[in-house]
């Protein structure tokens, strides 16, 4: 907030309307590669293009922009209760032909076992982030920012656990971290970092059994960390 | 951006106006403690309160919200060319009595040798972040988010160099990191991390000389890193 400089108009008076929207970069891992959810736009601008799901902020009903992003996830992708964080706000006079616009971009992480192929707003395409089609507006820059954020945060936080299902073994979790980081990790130090963060709890009596290996314990994220990240100060 | 659901109004039609502003958390180190710039508000709401410098986004003239934040730094604090990054966007119906508002908060870092005590918009108070007065709106939450961001990023990036003057010795730089992190660092590993990041260059012929110590080399930030961070993957 600010005091208004007297020589400058307030947007309540004669300054142009600013278009306020949210966009959501919904990411998941399919075959160890990050994929993003795209929807086909039903109206102009960019009608028919595949784009990030998004929508106007509804000042009548949205508690804040995160609530708007959750509404978009629910109404357009049929997704509820997923991990969501604010990414950054993209703005300017040229990113949208409708006028000076501001979009608060959010990043959502989903386990691959919960992916809808059809949302309330139509078919959902899950596209490999390395093979994105041309995206309208500045959506390519928004996806790039989301990937940089996720890869960076994965080096020192529990972020990638939100790409896992409810239960996972430690080798499965390490594979998810390695897929996101694009790097192999040392098993011993990886497990120590997971211990340091204290974000996992063993699922009582749940073991992965198979002929080839001895049974492996299933783990899950502690409730405290299902919407908040655990952080390790030293990095993986 | 999004396609409009037909049953939902567009803000171009009958949805309430959303107030779009920027706020700036301008931080500096004074006597090894982080301080934030506050201005006294000249108009309601919260007239007379000390608050973060901020202002409306001017769709007529601002290239984006970062340009709006730089305009606020120049017009209200008289600061130019400082390190600035977007922090996060704060929004909702109750944070400002004027209505549903959205503020894109930015964080600016300044060297203590360049601090104005008087800005174009009046006196500037530099307040120890540990001794903040009650702040209007959600400015206390914005400052808290800025401090968390700066402390977190300082663990693995060059961010604190922007709190230093143009030239500094490595012991001076380490003291700045230690002040921000609230922790002592190992001299050898600190210098290795600085080397890893490759962000410093020696200032030719510039040495700090004093009776008590042998001369120390002065360093400065490479041009490439004056507005972009260098990052170390493993943390300090």
């Amino acid at each position: 907030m600010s005091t208004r400089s007297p020589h400058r108009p307030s947007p309540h008076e004669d300054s142009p309307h600013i278009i306020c929207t949210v966009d959501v970069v919904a990411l998941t891992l399919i075959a160890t590669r990050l994929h993003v959810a795209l929807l086909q736009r039903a109206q102009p601008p960019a009608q028919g293009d595949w784009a990030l799901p998004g929508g106007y902020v509804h000042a009548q009903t949205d508690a804040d922009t995160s609530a708007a992003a959750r509404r978009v996830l629910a109404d357009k992708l049929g997704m509820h209760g997923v991990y969501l964080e604010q990414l950054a706000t993209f703005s300017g006079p040229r990113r949208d032909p409708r006028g000076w616009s501001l979009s608060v971009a959010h990043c959502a992480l989903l386990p691959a076992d919960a992916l809808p192929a059809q949302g309330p707003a139509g078919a959902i395409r899950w596209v490999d982030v390395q093979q994105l089609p041309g995206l309208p507006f500045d959506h390519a820059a928004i996806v790039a920012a989301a990937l940089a954020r996720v890869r960076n945060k994965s080096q020192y936080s529990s972020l990638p656990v939100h790409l896992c299902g409810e239960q996972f073994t430690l080798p499965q979790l390490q594979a998810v971290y390695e897929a996101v980081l694009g790097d192999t990790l040392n098993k011993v130090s990886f497990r120590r970092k997971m211990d340091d963060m204290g974000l996992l709890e063993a699922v009582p009596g749940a073991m992965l059994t198979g002929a080839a290996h001895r049974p492996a314990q299933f783990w899950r994220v502690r409730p405290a960390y299902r919407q908040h990240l655990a952080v390790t100060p030293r990095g993986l």
Side-chain angles (χ1 to χ4, degrees), chain A:
Chain A
M1 295 307 94
S2 86
T3 59
R4 259 173 56 204
S5 332
H7 59 288
R8 289 231 179 70
S10 150
H12 289 97
E13 295 148 14
D14 45 348
S15 112
H17 187 88
I18 293 175
I19 300 166
C20 295
T21 64
V22 292
D23 287 305
V24 181
V25 182
L27 294 170
T28 194
L29 269 182
I30 300 173
T32 77
R33 298 175 67 86
L34 283 167
H35 288 59
V36 61
L38 300 180
L39 286 180
Q40 195 164 29
R41 292 176 54 80
Q43 283 107 353
Q47 184 168 19
D49 288 8
W50 291 86
L52 294 174
Y56 290 116
V57 174
H58 295 159
Q60 313 96 314
T61 52
D62 293 330
D64 53 27
T65 58
S66 295
R70 290 201 174 279
R71 175 173 49 75
V72 165
L73 279 166
D75 293 356
K76 301 200 167 176
L77 300 183
M79 297 174 186
H80 301 268
V82 301
Y83 176 81
L84 180 77
E85 65 176 49
Q86 189 187 108
L87 177 60
T89 294
F90 294 75
S91 61
R94 277 172 297 281
R95 58 182 301 278
D96 186 320
R98 287 166 289 190
W100 210 103
S101 70
L102 177 157
S103 182
V104 185
H106 289 70
C107 188
L109 268 57
L110 298 97
D113 60 14
L115 297 185
Q118 178 75 23
I124 302 166
R125 267 179 67 189
W126 294 92
V127 181
D128 187 325
V129 296
Q130 304 303 330
Q131 294 159 28
L132 285 177
L135 297 178
F137 311 111
D138 52 2
H139 286 191
I142 294 174
V143 172
L147 293 174
R149 164 80 63 92
V150 167
R151 288 173 175 145
N152 180 291
K153 265 192 160 176
S154 298
Q155 289 173 345
Y156 62 90
S157 82
S158 60
L159 190 60
V161 300
H162 302 291
L163 295 165
C164 298
E166 193 149 323
Q167 300 185 9
F168 43 83
T169 66
L170 289 175
Q172 288 169 341
L173 181 60
Q174 181 171 342
V176 167
Y177 268 86
E178 290 175 336
V180 172
L181 294 173
D183 197 2
T184 58
L185 298 170
N186 173 277
K187 176 179 165 178
V188 173
S189 73
F190 175 78
R191 294 188 176 200
R192 188 172 58 245
K193 298 291 182 181
M194 293 301 115
D195 288 343
D196 292 347
M197 289 194 281
L199 81 150
L200 301 179
E201 61 188 12
V203 182
M207 306 288 283
L208 176 68
T209 54
H213 309 284
R214 61 185 176 77
Q217 175 68 54
F218 273 112
W219 299 80
R220 66 186 171 213
V221 178
R222 289 210 165 93
Y225 296 123
R226 287 176 196 165
Q227 277 301 323
H228 297 92
L229 295 182
V231 171
T232 169
R234 293 296 178 224
L236 290 168

